[in-house]
Amino acid sequence: MSTKTVAIVGASGYSGEELVRLLLSHPQAELKVVTSRQYAGRILAQVFPRFAHHPRARTLRFSEPEADLLAKQAEVIFLALPHGVAAKFAAPLFQLGCRIIDLSADFRLKSPAIYQEFYAHEHPAPDLLARAVYGLPEVYRAEIQRASLVASPGCYPTSILLPAVPLLKAGLVKATGIIANSLSGVSGAGRKAERDYLFVECYESVRPYGVPKHRHLSEIEQELSLAAGEQVTIQFTPHLIPVNRGILTTLYLAPAKHFADSTAMSELAENISACYQSAYGNEPFVRLIEDEALPDTKNVIGTNVIEIAWRLDPRTGRLLVMSAEDNLLKGASGQAVQCLNIMCGFPETAGLL
Amino acid sequence: MSTKTVAIVGASGYSGEELVRLLLSHPQAELKVVTSRQYAGRILAQVFPRFAHHPRARTLRFSEPEADLLAKQAEVIFLALPHGVAAKFAAPLFQLGCRIIDLSADFRLKSPAIYQEFYAHEHPAPDLLARAVYGLPEVYRAEIQRASLVASPGCYPTSILLPAVPLLKAGLVKATGIIANSLSGVSGAGRKAERDYLFVECYESVRPYGVPKHRHLSEIEQELSLAAGEQVTIQFTPHLIPVNRGILTTLYLAPAKHFADSTAMSELAENISACYQSAYGNEPFVRLIEDEALPDTKNVIGTNVIEIAWRLDPRTGRLLVMSAEDNLLKGASGQAVQCLNIMCGFPETAGLL
Amino acid sequence: MSTKTVAIVGASGYSGEELVRLLLSHPQAELKVVTSRQYAGRILAQVFPRFAHHPRARTLRFSEPEADLLAKQAEVIFLALPHGVAAKFAAPLFQLGCRIIDLSADFRLKSPAIYQEFYAHEHPAPDLLARAVYGLPEVYRAEIQRASLVASPGCYPTSILLPAVPLLKAGLVKATGIIANSLSGVSGAGRKAERDYLFVECYESVRPYGVPKHRHLSEIEQELSLAAGEQVTIQFTPHLIPVNRGILTTLYLAPAKHFADSTAMSELAENISACYQSAYGNEPFVRLIEDEALPDTKNVIGTNVIEIAWRLDPRTGRLLVMSAEDNLLKGASGQAVQCLNIMCGFPETAGLL
Amino acid sequence: MSTKTVAIVGASGYSGEELVRLLLSHPQAELKVVTSRQYAGRILAQVFPRFAHHPRARTLRFSEPEADLLAKQAEVIFLALPHGVAAKFAAPLFQLGCRIIDLSADFRLKSPAIYQEFYAHEHPAPDLLARAVYGLPEVYRAEIQRASLVASPGCYPTSILLPAVPLLKAGLVKATGIIANSLSGVSGAGRKAERDYLFVECYESVRPYGVPKHRHLSEIEQELSLAAGEQVTIQFTPHLIPVNRGILTTLYLAPAKHFADSTAMSELAENISACYQSAYGNEPFVRLIEDEALPDTKNVIGTNVIEIAWRLDPRTGRLLVMSAEDNLLKGASGQAVQCLNIMCGFPETAGLL
């Protein structure tokens, strides 16, 4: 089995920590470098005792992030940094010939203007945008395979795009009037010592936030528009739920054709089922639920799987699609490792089963 | 201060238990009888140790429910029984002249046919339906005052109707295309020893259920239709969230008039604000949020308050309205006590502050 | 009903917030002042939306804390401030003739030297120590009645002292070898924006801390020594549990007499039962569990009650005593209001049922 | 790499489910059979959707448990059955030459009389008791290697024995007066649809139970007595905590020698440290914490690791030892797989990193 050397830049947040976990157990990736300004000099196992039983975690030390050194030590580099910061690191690493998988939002958008609209600062490396591939393997597998710079999708976008893209591509649903109602665990907010995310402030709290213009809308609408072949504007409402992990998204869609009677409804149902089978029937990390069950975050937590189920409602004429994923895995670090596997020619499920 | 004697029939479920708590502390209600087949003969404080510091809970015993005895001992009777069972108890009590507040679904619908469609059995006392008043004080206060039979609304319906009814009455939003996305704590499922509601099965689980035709749709649509003056059909998606209490509802509405520019948007915003102020500005248990905050279940748990906030989204042309309530209080027992206060001429907030 | 004017200095932490809740509903206390440097000028209901349905919360504004003004506006003043800070406020208020109930540790210890040993700074007002009464009503009711300065006990100390003091006073258990193993909800850590108390860091975490010399040992041992009539040194291990509220303490005690056979065991059991009945049989906020049940935090959360149960273990010869309380109520603000009631001649349960 | 065929009898409870998870990913075990009376005929992935991304889970069906068939299909058989039932299955499988790893309590005790005392029924296969090895690898590795019948230890016993056994063997602590105070997540109660384990009944509940004579005492005291070379009787108090997983145990021990001054204390500390290093310094699944940190269940959840830390308390002369483990892994299924690895000559960490 061939192996590749990998590095994680910014390994102290939740998605960085999850990357560490996955890469320590990965059969073909060799974790050579983890960087963190805060923890530089400390042994990985000291900072994250949960990894101490991995021999590698007992010897590997956090280092300061330096492009030259990183490029010497690792063939593939994961960036788990805040937006704005990630792009500044990516530019020199890209020059030095590293392959990069960036978990921030910095390379997800094709337009620097939209980046500035949603992230409130100029893009730090606009020239690289055209080089980046949106790292959603079920949609862009071939591009990821060849990519030098992969922009790993956001957690909410993954939970919305995977259910919606095939339907839009097939013209089965209208591109207008789409609503995405999403529920996320608190790890989605990152490891910030802010009062709003204290245990006591969250434990009995269920609340919407970021309404009505959350940053993730930019990449969601970009990708939905590409799928639909027309400009798509959606309604997106995130909510914070007192669990550590998991995103549950409920999508409200309008079928392209009305289904006035039960015959039309059956036909439409067959088309939707066929569309999903065609898109995901062979995907290792998409579970299409086809019985009476519905997605449940507890089925996907700790895995790289997204669950998808759908219902036609004859009372309202709408199509409901529901998805569940682990926001730190299929919504972040798991998907990034899936991209690594594709880029390196490893089995796509390596380190993810 | 005048007082009234009250009884609770079926006091062993979550809403029954919450009624006990409220009535033990109520300054003008005297809790004379609590019934439970399961606990008959046992002292209230033995079954519910959390009430043991109330002197009354240390002497009051659960009894078997018997209409004649109940009618002798209590002027107002709360029914906290399963649907189907409640109506069978209500009929003789009504004959005996008791005033009844029923927390089940049995008297919420005006049509026995719709009852049968949604509850899958014939209505046990269809003659009484015309005598019942829907116990939503902010909408039917005058009718509740005179009522002998109050049908206390469901938890989800309360969280949807209070935000939606004034807008529909004022013609500010369309009666079509309404979507209600609701999140509920596990106490909403009742005290049933079923595997799906075990701690371990729920703790990491966020999941939709009852899609697409939940029973509560029947009363929601009845009341929305009355408010709109036309038949309303809505999309309603309940989700189960791992907390004990609380409902968070997000409503997606279409304003009656498009707001093409910021002037039209400001005007619409003023109309919505004025509509809510006029409906709820003086309501003791509706909190209109008018600053940048959003509803949060932690602000309402343990209280009879519903929080409401709204946002116009110029990108999609929609109006979002969000509400938060305690499903066992404003969504059940608190609202029932509010009705008691109105029926008996007590201050409306008695026992609820 | 006579009333008293009251003030809360430092009303923005968890125990301050809980005091606000209790005093807003108190039938005989009139909440005149709430202070907070952070929130000065803001309306109470803005800062704590959960109180917005109390009319008083919609008009009362946080103010800067100033001794002269406080003394003019309030007869009784609650201090909900950090240790060290509280004593500096207490001194001038005491001079001005206010009655003070301090929730910090500043006046709990009789010895300034022990204060310095455990709190790592000099006592700011050692002259006042002799004037302070330890505010445990079940032990010092008469002294509290006359007190001008009440030191409200800590949450862990209350959970340990109430079960242990009567047994030590009666000589039923040895004063040596006592172990207290305590579990606390996260609100005990206060409203501090620190990473250790983030939701995600706590949700799956059960952990001991502060081992082996927690600050609360100082007041625990002072009071146990007074009860035993000799110097008592105990083992105390606090643990953090992922719930908002509640303390569960398990005490390991050695009976003064061995119980070699079942006759001796029965006799000892009768003595223990009689001891507790004599101490707490008429206490409104102590629930002695005498059937097969054991204390459970869910029975006391939201109440001012402490539950106590005990077991003799013939295998080991030990006596186990277990207690459960709400750390913010009987462990802090509820007990402080109980003291207020005693000081002012109100019914002891006023505002606490 | 050589492989072995394995079966799980009774795979529908929590420890059975966790065994399934581990064995699906195990590099050298081939999961051939899963049995469940309740689910016979159903595909594994239908019953446990969380495993659906494992190809094997999409083809393997639950079957009825039959000894002959099991013996033909699998070389090693895991029993995840209730006590009493397990022994009845073990007997014929043992006759048929299978190697058995039993997760129940049936083969943990050497004495059928003590089994009957603690489990309230006669032992179903007393002849096999002498053939069974107690499956604690860190203590009985050599015996496990040769064993045909391994009795996998209980979750509480593992959390107590691993910290205590080396100290007792080395004579560093007294064999008398030991106290173990343990906190367990709710999965320890098993997948039983009982009201006590409903989400709402547990979410705000912290409570002791099984006091003072829990069943696990029998195996704890058997193993401690073997380590000490004398009969040991301990105090053991389990508590239920509202988390899914994890056990945190705090042990109170008396050092064999008093440590009157700091020199004696240093010497004792060195001896304890050396004792643990000698016992566990090379163990892959024991993490000795030697800095200022303390065990925390969040560090071990999802792993087969037990964390151990200790403190000498000069105030009381006691030694405190604290441990944290995942009750379903090092406390059950992970340890069982560790035994499998030892029995089959696989690397001991295979499938467990």
Side-chain angles (χ1 to χ4, degrees):
Chain A
M1 272 195 313
S2 72
T3 64
K4 292 276 179 190
T5 50
V6 302
I8 304 169
V9 180
S12 61
Y14 292 128
S15 57
E17 182 181 350
E18 198 68 10
L19 269 180
V20 170
R21 184 178 73 81
L22 292 170
L23 293 172
L24 282 173
S25 299
H26 196 288
Q28 290 174 272
E30 196 186 342
L31 182 58
K32 297 286 280 187
V33 190
V34 291
T35 83
S36 159
R37 294 219 154 110
Q38 180 183 5
Y39 297 124
R42 296 184 62 190
I43 294 279
L44 188 52
Q46 285 176 330
V47 173
F48 296 127
R50 60 189 284 235
F51 302 138
H53 56 302
H54 288 277
R56 184 84 189 109
R58 294 197 295 268
T59 55
L60 189 61
R61 268 179 209 282
F62 281 99
S63 57
E64 295 278 350
E66 287 181 55
D68 286 345
L69 271 172
L70 283 163
K72 273 181 206 142
Q73 295 179 280
E75 292 159 285
V76 184
I77 294 175
F78 292 88
L79 302 179
L81 296 165
H83 64 83
V85 180
K88 286 176 194 150
F89 269 89
L93 291 168
F94 189 85
Q95 290 304 109
L96 290 161
C98 298
R99 299 183 83 180
I100 299 164
I101 302 174
D102 175 27
L103 280 83
S104 86
D106 277 358
F107 298 102
R108 296 178 191 157
L109 300 178
K110 310 208 173 309
S111 153
I114 291 179
Y115 182 89
Q116 185 157 2
E117 177 190 348
F118 279 85
Y119 291 91
H121 59 83
E122 249 185 279
H123 195 285
D127 296 349
L128 280 179
L129 288 178
R131 311 296 297 269
V133 170
Y134 193 69
L136 200 59
E138 293 77 8
V139 180
Y140 295 109
R141 184 170 283 114
E143 293 83 347
I144 293 165
Q145 211 166 342
R146 297 183 299 265
S148 290
L149 173 54
V150 168
S152 204
C155 51
Y156 286 123
T158 300
S159 82
I160 293 167
L161 295 173
L162 287 177
V165 161
L167 301 174
L168 284 169
K169 279 190 178 167
L172 285 168
V173 297
K174 293 182 190 161
T176 54
I178 297 173
I179 293 174
N181 193 97
S182 294
L183 320 177
S184 172
V186 186
S187 62
R191 196 171 245 150
K192 287 174 290 192
E194 293 178 8
R195 192 172 131 168
D196 275 359
Y197 303 110
L198 286 177
F199 184 86
V200 177
E201 304 303 317
C202 294
Y203 191 57
E204 293 186 330
S205 165
V206 179
R207 59 191 200 243
Y209 71 99
V211 171
K213 197 177 170 188
H214 187 279
R215 280 170 170 174
H216 279 176
L217 270 172
S218 51
E219 65 183 280
I220 296 167
E221 294 182 349
Q222 168 184 288
E223 295 300 316
L224 292 180
S225 300
L226 288 168
E230 63 180 282
Q231 179 59 39
V232 176
T233 302
I234 76 158
Q235 191 82 52
F236 167 53
T237 318
H239 298 73
L240 199 68
I241 301 297
V243 293
N244 269 12
R245 289 167 167 233
I247 285 183
L248 194 295
T249 286
T250 302
L251 282 168
Y252 299 94
L253 302 166
K257 284 191 199 164
H258 281 291
F259 49 102
D261 55 29
S262 66
T263 313
M265 184 164 156
S266 296
E267 198 182 312
L268 178 55
E270 274 169 45
N271 290 341
I272 294 166
S273 180
C275 172
Y276 276 132
Q277 278 301 334
S278 156
Y280 301 135
N282 294 314
E283 284 295 341
F285 296 120
V286 181
R287 192 167 87 85
L288 298 170
I289 304 181
E290 304 218 298
D291 56 11
E292 77 287 358
L294 292 172
D296 187 329
T297 57
K298 88 173 157 209
N299 292 337
V300 294
I301 284 171
T303 81
N304 194 46
V305 172
I306 184 168
E307 285 191 340
I308 298 175
W310 54 272
R311 294 287 185 278
L312 285 169
D313 187 348
R315 301 174 73 258
T316 63
R318 274 206 202 81
L319 169 63
L320 265 71
V321 190
M322 292 145 284
S323 73
E325 65 172 27
D326 184 324
N327 58 307
L328 293 181
L329 285 165
K330 188 61 180 167
S333 307
Q335 186 148 267
V337 169
Q338 190 182 352
C339 287
L340 171 80
N341 291 341
I342 294 169
M343 292 163 83
C344 299
F346 303 152
E348 194 162 327
T349 58
L352 293 170
L353 282 193
Chain B
M1 271 195 311
S2 73
T3 64
K4 291 278 178 190
T5 50
V6 301
I8 304 169
V9 180
S12 61
Y14 292 128
S15 58
E17 183 182 348
E18 197 68 9
L19 269 179
V20 170
R21 184 177 74 82
L22 292 170
L23 293 171
L24 282 173
S25 300
H26 195 289
Q28 289 173 275
E30 195 185 345
L31 183 57
K32 297 285 282 188
V33 190
V34 290
T35 84
S36 159
R37 294 216 155 113
Q38 180 184 3
Y39 296 124
R42 296 183 62 189
I43 295 280
L44 188 52
Q46 284 177 328
V47 174
F48 296 127
R50 60 189 285 235
F51 302 138
H53 56 301
H54 288 276
R56 185 84 190 107
R58 294 197 295 266
T59 55
L60 190 60
R61 267 178 210 282
F62 281 98
S63 58
E64 293 278 350
E66 287 182 52
D68 286 345
L69 271 171
L70 282 163
K72 273 183 206 143
Q73 295 179 280
E75 292 160 284
V76 184
I77 295 174
F78 291 88
L79 302 179
L81 296 165
H83 65 83
V85 180
K88 286 176 195 151
F89 268 90
L93 291 168
F94 189 85
Q95 289 306 106
L96 289 161
C98 297
R99 298 182 84 180
I100 299 164
I101 302 174
D102 176 27
L103 279 84
S104 86
D106 277 358
F107 298 103
R108 296 177 191 158
L109 300 178
K110 309 210 174 307
S111 153
I114 291 179
Y115 181 89
Q116 186 156 3
E117 177 190 348
F118 279 85
Y119 291 91
H121 60 83
E122 251 185 278
H123 196 284
D127 296 349
L128 280 179
L129 287 178
R131 312 296 297 269
V133 169
Y134 194 70
L136 199 59
E138 292 77 8
V139 179
Y140 296 109
R141 184 169 282 112
E143 293 84 346
I144 293 166
Q145 211 167 344
R146 297 183 299 264
S148 290
L149 174 54
V150 167
S152 203
C155 51
Y156 286 123
T158 300
S159 82
I160 293 167
L161 294 173
L162 288 176
V165 161
L167 301 174
L168 284 169
K169 279 191 176 165
L172 285 167
V173 296
K174 292 183 190 159
T176 54
I178 297 173
I179 293 174
N181 193 97
S182 294
L183 320 178
S184 171
V186 186
S187 62
R191 194 172 247 150
K192 286 174 290 194
E194 292 178 9
R195 192 171 132 168
D196 276 359
Y197 304 111
L198 287 176
F199 183 85
V200 177
E201 304 302 317
C202 294
Y203 190 57
E204 292 187 329
S205 166
V206 178
R207 59 191 198 243
Y209 72 99
V211 171
K213 197 177 169 188
H214 188 279
R215 281 172 169 170
H216 279 176
L217 270 172
S218 52
E219 65 183 281
I220 296 166
E221 293 182 349
Q222 167 184 288
E223 294 300 316
L224 292 180
S225 300
L226 287 167
E230 62 180 281
Q231 180 59 39
V232 176
T233 302
I234 75 157
Q235 192 81 52
F236 166 54
T237 317
H239 299 73
L240 198 69
I241 301 297
V243 294
N244 270 11
R245 289 166 168 235
I247 285 183
L248 192 296
T249 286
T250 302
L251 282 168
Y252 300 93
L253 303 166
K257 284 191 199 165
H258 282 289
F259 49 102
D261 55 29
S262 66
T263 313
M265 185 165 155
S266 296
E267 197 182 313
L268 179 55
E270 274 169 43
N271 290 341
I272 294 166
S273 181
C275 171
Y276 275 132
Q277 279 300 336
S278 156
Y280 300 136
N282 295 314
E283 284 296 339
F285 295 120
V286 181
R287 191 167 88 84
L288 298 170
I289 303 180
E290 304 218 297
D291 56 13
E292 78 286 358
L294 292 172
D296 187 330
T297 56
K298 89 173 158 209
N299 292 336
V300 294
I301 284 172
T303 80
N304 194 45
V305 172
I306 184 168
E307 285 191 339
I308 298 175
W310 54 274
R311 294 288 185 279
L312 285 169
D313 186 350
R315 299 174 73 259
T316 63
R318 275 206 201 79
L319 169 63
L320 264 71
V321 190
M322 292 145 285
S323 73
E325 65 172 28
D326 184 324
N327 58 307
L328 294 180
L329 286 165
K330 189 61 180 167
S333 306
Q335 186 147 266
V337 169
Q338 190 181 353
C339 288
L340 172 80
N341 291 341
I342 295 168
M343 291 163 83
C344 299
F346 302 152
E348 195 162 326
T349 59
L352 292 171
L353 282 192
Chain C
M1 271 196 310
S2 73
T3 64
K4 292 277 179 190
T5 50
V6 301
I8 304 170
V9 180
S12 61
Y14 291 129
S15 58
E17 183 181 348
E18 197 68 9
L19 268 179
V20 170
R21 184 179 72 81
L22 292 170
L23 293 171
L24 282 173
S25 300
H26 196 288
Q28 290 173 274
E30 195 186 344
L31 183 57
K32 296 285 281 189
V33 189
V34 291
T35 84
S36 158
R37 293 216 156 113
Q38 179 184 5
Y39 296 125
R42 296 183 62 189
I43 295 280
L44 188 51
Q46 285 176 329
V47 174
F48 296 128
R50 60 188 285 235
F51 302 139
H53 56 301
H54 288 276
R56 184 85 189 107
R58 294 196 295 267
T59 55
L60 189 61
R61 267 178 209 282
F62 281 98
S63 57
E64 293 278 350
E66 288 181 52
D68 286 344
L69 271 171
L70 282 163
K72 273 183 206 143
Q73 294 179 281
E75 292 160 284
V76 184
I77 294 175
F78 292 87
L79 302 180
L81 296 165
H83 64 84
V85 180
K88 286 176 194 150
F89 268 90
L93 292 169
F94 189 85
Q95 289 305 106
L96 290 161
C98 297
R99 298 183 83 181
I100 299 164
I101 301 174
D102 176 25
L103 280 84
S104 87
D106 277 358
F107 298 103
R108 295 177 192 158
L109 299 178
K110 310 210 173 306
S111 152
I114 292 179
Y115 181 89
Q116 186 157 1
E117 177 190 348
F118 279 85
Y119 291 92
H121 59 83
E122 250 185 278
H123 196 285
D127 296 349
L128 280 179
L129 287 178
R131 311 296 298 269
V133 169
Y134 194 70
L136 199 59
E138 292 77 9
V139 179
Y140 295 110
R141 184 170 282 111
E143 292 84 346
I144 293 165
Q145 211 167 344
R146 296 184 298 265
S148 290
L149 173 55
V150 167
S152 204
C155 51
Y156 286 123
T158 300
S159 83
I160 292 168
L161 295 173
L162 287 176
V165 161
L167 301 174
L168 283 169
K169 280 191 177 165
L172 285 167
V173 296
K174 293 183 189 160
T176 54
I178 297 173
I179 293 174
N181 193 96
S182 293
L183 320 178
S184 171
V186 187
S187 62
R191 195 171 246 149
K192 286 174 291 193
E194 293 177 8
R195 192 171 132 168
D196 275 359
Y197 304 111
L198 287 177
F199 184 85
V200 177
E201 304 303 317
C202 294
Y203 190 58
E204 292 186 330
S205 167
V206 179
R207 59 191 198 241
Y209 71 99
V211 171
K213 198 176 169 188
H214 187 279
R215 281 172 170 171
H216 279 176
L217 270 172
S218 52
E219 65 183 280
I220 296 167
E221 293 182 350
Q222 167 184 288
E223 294 301 316
L224 292 180
S225 300
L226 287 168
E230 62 180 283
Q231 180 59 37
V232 176
T233 303
I234 76 157
Q235 191 82 51
F236 166 54
T237 317
H239 299 74
L240 198 70
I241 302 296
V243 293
N244 269 11
R245 288 167 169 234
I247 285 183
L248 193 295
T249 286
T250 302
L251 282 168
Y252 299 93
L253 303 166
K257 284 191 200 164
H258 281 290
F259 49 102
D261 55 28
S262 66
T263 312
M265 184 164 155
S266 296
E267 197 182 314
L268 178 56
E270 274 170 43
N271 290 341
I272 294 167
S273 181
C275 171
Y276 276 132
Q277 278 301 335
S278 156
Y280 301 136
N282 294 315
E283 284 295 340
F285 295 119
V286 181
R287 192 167 88 84
L288 298 170
I289 304 181
E290 304 219 297
D291 55 13
E292 78 286 357
L294 291 173
D296 187 330
T297 56
K298 89 173 157 210
N299 292 336
V300 295
I301 284 172
T303 81
N304 195 45
V305 172
I306 184 168
E307 285 191 339
I308 298 175
W310 53 272
R311 294 288 185 278
L312 285 169
D313 187 349
R315 299 174 73 259
T316 62
R318 275 206 201 80
L319 169 63
L320 265 71
V321 190
M322 292 144 284
S323 73
E325 66 173 27
D326 184 325
N327 58 307
L328 294 180
L329 286 166
K330 188 61 179 166
S333 307
Q335 187 148 264
V337 169
Q338 191 181 352
C339 287
L340 172 80
N341 291 341
I342 294 168
M343 291 163 84
C344 299
F346 303 152
E348 194 161 326
T349 59
L352 292 170
L353 282 192
Chain D
M1 271 194 314
S2 73
T3 64
K4 292 277 179 191
T5 51
V6 302
I8 304 169
V9 181
S12 61
Y14 293 128
S15 57
E17 183 181 350
E18 197 69 9
L19 269 180
V20 170
R21 184 178 72 82
L22 293 170
L23 294 171
L24 283 173
S25 300
H26 195 289
Q28 289 174 273
E30 196 186 343
L31 183 58
K32 296 286 281 188
V33 190
V34 291
T35 85
S36 159
R37 293 220 155 109
Q38 180 184 4
Y39 297 124
R42 296 183 63 190
I43 295 278
L44 188 51
Q46 285 176 329
V47 174
F48 296 127
R50 60 189 285 235
F51 301 139
H53 56 302
H54 288 277
R56 185 83 189 110
R58 294 197 295 267
T59 56
L60 189 61
R61 267 178 210 283
F62 281 98
S63 58
E64 293 279 351
E66 286 181 54
D68 286 344
L69 272 172
L70 283 163
K72 273 182 207 143
Q73 295 179 280
E75 293 160 282
V76 184
I77 294 175
F78 292 88
L79 302 179
L81 296 165
H83 64 83
V85 180
K88 286 177 194 150
F89 269 89
L93 291 169
F94 189 85
Q95 290 305 108
L96 290 161
C98 298
R99 299 182 84 180
I100 299 163
I101 301 174
D102 176 26
L103 281 83
S104 87
D106 278 358
F107 298 103
R108 296 177 191 158
L109 300 178
K110 310 208 173 309
S111 154
I114 291 178
Y115 181 90
Q116 186 157 2
E117 177 190 348
F118 279 85
Y119 291 91
H121 59 83
E122 249 185 279
H123 195 285
D127 296 348
L128 280 180
L129 287 178
R131 311 297 296 269
V133 170
Y134 194 70
L136 201 58
E138 292 77 8
V139 179
Y140 296 110
R141 184 170 282 113
E143 294 83 347
I144 293 165
Q145 210 166 343
R146 297 184 299 264
S148 289
L149 174 53
V150 168
S152 204
C155 51
Y156 286 123
T158 300
S159 82
I160 293 167
L161 294 173
L162 287 177
V165 161
L167 301 174
L168 283 169
K169 279 191 177 167
L172 285 168
V173 297
K174 292 182 191 160
T176 54
I178 297 173
I179 293 175
N181 193 97
S182 294
L183 320 178
S184 171
V186 187
S187 62
R191 195 171 247 148
K192 287 175 288 193
E194 293 177 9
R195 191 172 133 168
D196 275 359
Y197 304 111
L198 286 177
F199 184 86
V200 176
E201 304 302 318
C202 294
Y203 190 57
E204 292 186 331
S205 166
V206 179
R207 59 192 199 243
Y209 71 99
V211 171
K213 197 177 169 188
H214 187 278
R215 281 171 170 172
H216 279 177
L217 270 172
S218 51
E219 65 183 281
I220 296 167
E221 294 182 348
Q222 167 184 289
E223 294 301 316
L224 292 181
S225 300
L226 287 168
E230 62 180 282
Q231 180 58 39
V232 176
T233 302
I234 76 157
Q235 191 81 52
F236 167 54
T237 317
H239 299 73
L240 199 69
I241 301 297
V243 293
N244 269 11
R245 290 167 168 234
I247 285 184
L248 193 296
T249 285
T250 302
L251 282 168
Y252 299 93
L253 302 166
K257 285 191 200 165
H258 281 291
F259 49 102
D261 54 28
S262 66
T263 314
M265 185 164 155
S266 296
E267 197 182 312
L268 179 55
E270 274 169 44
N271 291 340
I272 294 167
S273 180
C275 172
Y276 276 133
Q277 278 301 335
S278 156
Y280 300 136
N282 294 313
E283 285 294 341
F285 296 119
V286 181
R287 192 167 86 85
L288 298 170
I289 304 181
E290 304 218 299
D291 56 11
E292 77 287 357
L294 292 172
D296 187 329
T297 57
K298 88 172 158 209
N299 291 337
V300 294
I301 284 173
T303 80
N304 194 46
V305 171
I306 184 167
E307 286 191 339
I308 298 175
W310 54 273
R311 293 287 185 279
L312 285 169
D313 187 349
R315 299 174 74 258
T316 63
R318 274 206 202 80
L319 169 63
L320 265 71
V321 190
M322 293 145 284
S323 73
E325 65 173 27
D326 184 324
N327 58 307
L328 293 181
L329 286 166
K330 188 61 180 167
S333 307
Q335 187 147 265
V337 170
Q338 190 182 353
C339 287
L340 172 78
N341 291 341
I342 294 168
M343 292 164 83
C344 299
F346 303 152
E348 195 162 325
T349 58
L352 293 170
L353 282 193

